[in-house]
Amino acid sequence: MAGTDTDPAARHAEASQDLAGLEAGLDALETVQTGRTPLREVLLRKVLPPVTAVVLVLVAWQVLVWAEVAPDYKLPAPSAVWDEVSEAWLQGTLLDYIWTSVSRGLLGFLLALVIGTPLGLLVARVRFVRAAIGPILSGLQSLPSVAWVPPAVIWLGLNDRMMYAVILLGAVPSIANGLVAGVDQIPPLYLRAGRTLGATGLRGARHIVMPAALPGYLAGLKQGWAFSWRSLMAAEIIASSPDLGIGLGQLLENGRNNSSMAQVFLAILLILVVGIAVDLLVFSPLERRVLRGRGLLVTR
């Protein structure tokens, strides 16, 4: 009888130990490794692959030039493009080309952010607004940005306002639709818990909806920047005026007008470098921070 009386206690103690071990294991899984990555590993994993890709592209480019697959005026050598870079740097115009476009692109993107965020929240949370505006936003997002340049020139003239209008028409739908997608993916339990705690209206949007929709919203921001940059390039290529200055798009068009493929390649490379730099310096760190905060990014 004594043995049978102690069996339930022993089983209870054993179950408690198993539960404690399970909880400890779950805690260990949820723990995010935040140790600093060694410099050598960073160089091998982050720096070496893109540098290797750039070197391979340059080698292939030079091989095509040596093979004379096209005349020099169609396919300039990498050294000819480098000469264009050196000349623009010595003349002090290289940074002006970049800053003219980057300043327009960033300001236009910030304006699109201010407009697209509340619009996305409104579409996501109000059924009537979604039914009325949702299809229009999707249609605008699929419309090529270059289609807005002629009417913007006619409406606003050849000035910076025309540039910003084209950027807004290209970026706002992407930002709004990204936020709508993020809100649609929020578990209903979160929203009900927020309402129970009194987080409704603007307070609920700030403390419940926006944090929960952050991954989709961030994806919309990245796409919005891509649309902003492409819209700006289209506007700078088509709309030419001395009052607008020379941005990267206008530099590309000038190269075409001058039949200078080296200048054309220079403009293309600068446009590509700016796009990659913004993604690496702004959006990639934000994305890693969001994933790390949700326990989805573990340093190994």
Side-chain angles (χ1 to χ4, degrees), residues 93-249:
T93 57
L94 182 62
L95 295 181
D96 290 339
Y97 298 150
I98 298 174
W99 177 244
T100 298
S101 293
V102 169
S103 59
R104 285 174 180 160
L106 291 178
L107 181 56
F109 175 73
L110 291 177
L111 292 174
L113 181 64
V114 172
I115 297 174
T117 300
L119 180 60
L121 280 175
L122 188 64
V123 172
R125 302 299 293 161
V126 181
R127 291 184 179 180
F128 176 78
V129 176
R130 170 176 290 203
I133 301 180
I136 298 177
L137 288 177
S138 299
L140 290 175
Q141 188 174 359
S142 63
L143 183 67
S145 303
V146 67
W148 290 112
V149 178
V153 171
I154 295 174
W155 293 335
L156 302 174
L158 290 173
N159 49 49
D160 284 335
R161 290 183 301 166
M162 177 272 299
M163 299 282 186
Y164 295 135
V166 174
I167 293 174
L168 291 176
L169 290 169
V172 168
S174 297
I175 295 175
N177 283 331
L179 183 53
V180 170
V183 173
D184 289 344
Q185 295 172 6
I186 299 176
L189 180 61
Y190 288 6
L191 301 178
R192 290 198 297 268
R195 287 193 296 266
T196 302
L197 296 174
T200 57
L202 293 178
R203 182 180 298 176
R206 176 183 176 185
H207 296 287
I208 303 297
V209 176
M210 289 300 296
L214 195 55
Y217 181 46
L218 183 57
L221 293 183
K222 291 180 65 175
Q223 191 175 41
W225 163 252
F227 273 83
S228 297
W229 191 236
R230 286 186 289 181
S231 301
L232 177 61
M233 292 302 102
E236 288 185 349
I237 290 173
I238 296 177
S240 176
S241 172
D243 297 334
L244 292 174
I246 300 179
L248 298 179

Side-chain angles (χ1 to χ4, degrees), residues 64-99:
L64 292 176
V65 172
W66 285 337
E68 297 182 352
V69 297
D72 293 342
Y73 68 89
K74 290 185 177 181
L75 182 64
S79 58
V81 179
W82 179 253
D83 291 340
E84 286 285 339
V85 175
S86 301
E87 182 180 354
W89 176 262
L90 294 175
Q91 293 177 353
T93 57
L94 182 62
L95 295 181
D96 290 339
Y97 298 150
I98 298 174
W99 177 244

Side-chain angles (χ1 to χ4, degrees), residues 15-55:
S16 299
Q17 292 176 355
D18 292 340
L19 181 60
L22 178 60
E23 291 177 349
L26 292 175
D27 291 340
L29 289 175
E30 293 178 354
T31 301
V32 179
Q33 303 296 327
T34 58
R36 183 179 296 274
T37 305
L39 178 60
R40 181 180 179 181
E41 185 177 351
V42 172
L43 292 176
L44 290 176
R45 296 177 56 185
K46 303 288 186 178
V47 179
L48 185 60
V51 170
T52 303
V54 171
V55 171

